[in-house]
Amino acid sequence: YSELADLRVSLERKVAERNVELEEAVERQKRIGSEIEHQSRRLTDARDMAERDLLMAEKVQRGFFPASAPVTTDWDIAMVFRPASRISGDFFDFFLGEGDGGPCLDGLVIGDVSGRGMGPGLVSVLARSVISRRWPSLRGQGLGQAMAELNRELSGELGGVDEFLTCILLRMEGGKV
C-alpha cells in the first residue's frame, strides 16, 4: 500500500508538471497564432495598398494615351490598345495638323519599353510625353536627325534607367509615309 501511495504521489506530480508544460505550450501557440494573424493583416493591408496603387497607375497611364484613333481627312485610322498586363511599357500617339478639309495626320509614334510593371509603365508615359512635346519642333528635320535629338533628350531624362526604349516614328506627308 505504501508503494502504491508513493507511486500515486509521483504520478500526480508528473501529471501536474506535464499540465504546466502543456499550458505553457498552449500559451506559446496562442502567441504564435496571434503574431501570424497580425502579420497576415499587415500583408493583406500591403496587398490592398499595392492593388490601389496599381489601379491608380493604370488609370493615369490610360489617361495619357488617346482613347480612340483620330478622325482625319487623309487617313482611315483604327486602333485597339490592350496591354498584356495592367501597366504597359507600350505607348503610342498620333500627331495632327491642319489640312484643306480639316485635321490631317502628320505622324505617329509606336513604342515599347522593355520589362514589365510600374517602372516600364512610367518610362513609357515619359517617352510618349517627350516625343509629343517635341514633335512640332522636329517637323522640318529629317527623321534621322529628329530621332537623334529625341534619343539625346530621352537619354538625359532616363539616364539611370536600365530598360530599353524602342520605337518607330512615322511622318505622313501628302498621303505618303
Side-chain angles (χ1 to χ4, degrees):
Y1 178 80
S2 171
E3 285 178 26
L4 286 176
D6 289 344
L7 186 58
R8 183 183 55 82
V9 169
S10 174
L11 283 174
E12 286 175 352
R13 184 176 32 84
K14 287 180 183 179
V15 166
E17 288 172 0
R18 186 64 180 143
N19 279 342
V20 168
E21 289 173 5
L22 288 173
E23 287 173 3
E24 289 171 355
V26 166
E27 286 304 313
R28 278 194 308 273
Q29 290 297 329
K30 284 181 183 178
R31 284 192 304 273
I32 290 170
S34 178
E35 181 62 23
I36 289 172
E37 187 176 322
H38 172 72
Q39 294 300 335
S40 177
R41 276 194 304 273
R42 286 186 58 208
L43 284 172
T44 298
D45 291 346
R47 185 198 66 221
D48 291 347
M49 183 183 299
E51 180 65 27
R52 284 190 304 272
D53 289 349
L54 187 60
L55 182 60
M56 183 187 325
E58 178 184 13
K59 287 180 181 180
V60 167
Q61 187 184 47
R62 284 190 184 272
F64 273 96
F65 299 134
S68 61
V71 176
T72 66
T73 57
D74 50 352
W75 293 89
D76 183 17
I77 306 168
M79 62 162 265
V80 174
F81 181 63
R82 289 192 191 124
S85 59
R86 294 174 67 180
I87 303 295
S88 177
D90 302 327
F91 66 95
F92 63 96
D93 202 2
F94 302 97
F95 308 116
L96 301 177
E98 280 301 316
D100 294 336
C104 64
L105 185 65
D106 272 352
L108 67 97
V109 64
I110 301 170
D112 178 58
V113 179
S114 64
R116 289 183 161 225
M118 199 86 65
L122 291 171
V123 172
S124 73
V125 168
L126 176 66
R128 183 244 172 214
S129 179
V130 167
I131 295 168
S132 295
R133 178 176 42 82
R134 291 295 313 275
W135 178 259
S137 67
L138 301 172
R139 185 75 182 107
Q141 299 177 12
L143 283 177
Q145 183 182 358
M147 289 300 285
E149 284 189 31
L150 285 171
N151 187 53
R152 271 192 300 279
E153 186 168 344
L154 287 167
S155 293
E157 294 281 341
L158 303 171
V161 176
D162 291 333
E163 279 82 10
F164 293 96
L165 169 63
T166 306
C167 70
I168 183 169
L169 184 62
L170 302 174
R171 181 179 292 150
M172 279 60 170
E173 293 178 357
K176 296 179 188 175
V177 178

